[in-house]
Structure formats: C-alpha cells, structure tokens
Amino acid sequence: MKKSLCVLLLLSALSLCASAQPKSFGLRMGPGLEISYQHIVNTKQFVEFDAGVLGYSEYPGFRLSASYDFNILRTSLFKGDVTMFIGPGLSLGMYDKSFFTAGFLIQYGLSYDFPRAPLSLAVDTRPCLWINEDGVSMRFKSMMPMFSVRWKF
C-alpha cells in the first residue's frame, strides 16, 4: 500500500509539471544510482524528481526524492552556463527490505550547461533529516556528493 501511494504521488507530481517549459532527464550517480528528471519553472527556479537505489550502506533500499531548487548564482564559463543552486525537498524510501523512512532534505550544488549540446552536468549533495521507526536521525553518508548527467529537451 505504501509503495502504491508513493508511486501515485510521484506520477501526479510529474503530470502537474508537464507543460511547454524546458526539461531534462538523466542519471544521478555516486553512492547510489538514481533516475533524475528536472523541470525548469523559470530562469531562477526548477523542480527535480529522483528515483533510485541506495548503494552506500549495509542496508540496501530505494528512495524517491523531490526538491524545489533556486538558482542563486549564474555565470558563463567556456561559453556555457554555470549555475549554483539550493533548495528544500522531501524524500521517501525503504531500506533493509522492510523499514520505511521519510526525510526533509536540502539540496545544493553546481551545474554546467554545454553551449552547443543539449547536455547538462552537475555535482550536488543532499543533507537529510530522516524520520523512521527508530526516531529522527541525520545520516552523514547522505551528504556524499552525487554526479549528474542529464539530456535537456
């Protein structure tokens, strides 16, 4: 039931974002692997949705995350755009095959958009305050940087 509700919420959020705004789709890699989707709201804001597996601990699992990010600095480098961003978000997941967890996250990082190719590279991290059956915890392994490669369309 929990899995179905999570999938339904994710699909609803994605359908609300479907409009003529620029989008990007790709992979977010690091201590885990996630499929990543970004929807550009305007030149200063974007929404990011990620779904993937956790691979950095002895407790394997999966995670769904959504964040609303703000571009706080934009400059040019080698004719491409470099953007620094930060934003709040939520994360839901399951680990060790039976433990449900939820969390509040802050995502921050840097991205580079290539000038002549529909490609974007990013490095970011997501400190998260987790709430689960054991109470509230801060896992520092969730703060490890992740590398993203996205195709813009």
Side-chain angles (χ1 to χ4, degrees):
M1 180 67 183
K2 290 179 186 178
K3 290 179 188 179
S4 300
L5 182 61
C6 291
V7 170
L8 181 63
L9 287 173
L10 180 66
L11 290 176
S12 298
L14 286 174
S15 67
L16 287 174
C17 291
S19 66
Q21 301 295 327
K23 303 163 187 66
S24 63
F25 182 78
L27 292 175
R28 193 168 175 263
M29 301 162 282
L33 181 65
E34 297 178 346
I35 296 173
S36 180
Y37 171 80
Q38 281 185 348
H39 179 81
I40 308 299
V41 176
N42 57 41
T43 58
K44 296 184 179 182
Q45 302 167 1
F46 65 92
V47 180
E48 182 174 334
F49 299 98
D50 300 305
V53 294
L54 306 171
Y56 56 75
S57 72
E58 64 273 11
Y59 305 112
F62 73 92
R63 174 174 55 201
L64 301 173
S65 300
S67 64
Y68 193 87
D69 298 304
F70 301 91
N71 296 331
I72 56 175
L73 178 67
R74 178 171 281 187
T75 188
S76 291
L77 180 67
F78 305 116
K79 297 184 182 179
D81 289 329
V82 176
T83 306
M84 182 183 293
F85 57 88
I86 189 167
L90 297 173
S91 186
L92 298 172
M94 184 173 287
Y95 65 96
D96 200 20
K97 299 180 183 175
S98 62
F99 295 106
F100 179 76
T101 186
F104 300 100
L105 61 90
I106 297 291
Q107 175 173 305
Y108 58 92
L110 291 169
S111 68
Y112 180 78
D113 296 331
F114 287 90
R116 293 191 177 101
L119 186 65
S120 177
L121 301 177
V123 174
D124 62 53
T125 187
R126 290 184 178 160
C128 192
L129 184 65
W130 292 102
I131 303 166
N132 54 31
E133 291 89 358
D134 298 331
V136 178
S137 66
M138 179 77 174
R139 293 196 189 125
F140 291 102
K141 290 184 179 180
S142 66
M143 293 174 53
M144 294 177 73
M146 300 275 281
F147 177 73
S148 302
V149 177
R150 294 185 187 92
W151 173 64
K152 300 185 312 184
F153 56 98

